[in-house]
Amino acid sequence: MSLRKKLRVVFDTNVLISAAILSKSISAKAFRHGLEYFELVHSGSTYAELAEVLERPKFAKYLTELERETFLSLVAQASLPIEEHSTIADCEDPKDNKFLELAIDANATIVVSGDAHLLTMHPYRAVTILSPAAFVQLVIE
């Protein structure tokens, strides 16, 4: 598994939100496996989206302000920041293009997402796009 540690992985915001609010979810398990076995990456736009979504009032019933800040800090410290260079417009949902751009700019191997728009694009160029459950299964094998 030491080889996997060197592979870069992008986590979509929806997976990270699920991991943050549901510690026993498959998304949380995927995130923990990502932290342990891979090099996680984020861009300014993916991190900003995560921060913005976590601040939405509907998530206040799941996470305290301290828990939100702690999770954001974990993501920031445990993942490598990547400068954005690519412009991609291939996804049906334009908001999801930032994850493809990050994957390309970071030379990532995998994007982990629960978003149907991204999952139907598998594989995208040389990037594997997996659901959290499929990612966990990959790590276990």
Side-chain angles (χ1 to χ4, degrees), residues 26-128:
I26 193 69
S27 291
K29 188 172 187 176
F31 182 59
R32 287 191 301 271
H33 283 338
L35 290 170
E36 186 172 351
Y37 299 113
F38 298 87
E39 181 174 45
L40 305 187
V41 295
H42 71 273
S43 66
S45 62
T46 62
Y47 187 81
E49 180 181 81
L50 176 62
E52 184 272 319
V53 172
L54 279 174
E55 288 297 321
R56 291 181 183 167
K58 70 180 181 179
F59 294 116
K61 63 184 173 185
Y62 300 106
L63 298 169
T64 66
E65 185 65 32
L66 178 60
E67 290 169 328
R68 285 193 297 269
E69 289 173 10
T70 300
F71 188 77
L72 283 170
S73 179
L74 171 63
V75 170
Q77 292 175 15
S79 62
L80 182 66
I82 301 294
E83 285 191 42
E84 303 161 286
H85 300 290
S86 297
T87 300
I88 293 174
D90 295 338
C91 189
E92 187 176 325
D93 184 350
K95 294 180 300 185
D96 292 330
N97 283 316
K98 70 177 134 300
F99 300 103
L100 299 173
E101 293 165 351
L102 174 56
I104 297 305
D105 290 341
N107 293 316
T109 306
I110 300 170
V111 172
V112 182
S113 179
D115 189 295
H117 294 111
L118 287 173
L119 291 169
T120 58
M121 295 181 75
H122 167 72
Y124 180 77
R125 299 185 189 176
V127 179
T128 302

Side-chain angles (χ1 to χ4, degrees), residues 10-32:
V10 173
F11 275 83
D12 190 347
T13 301
N14 62 59
V15 177
L16 293 174
I17 295 295
S18 294
I21 66 175
L22 301 166
S23 64
K24 296 189 186 300
S25 68
I26 193 69
S27 291
K29 188 172 187 176
F31 182 59
R32 287 191 301 271

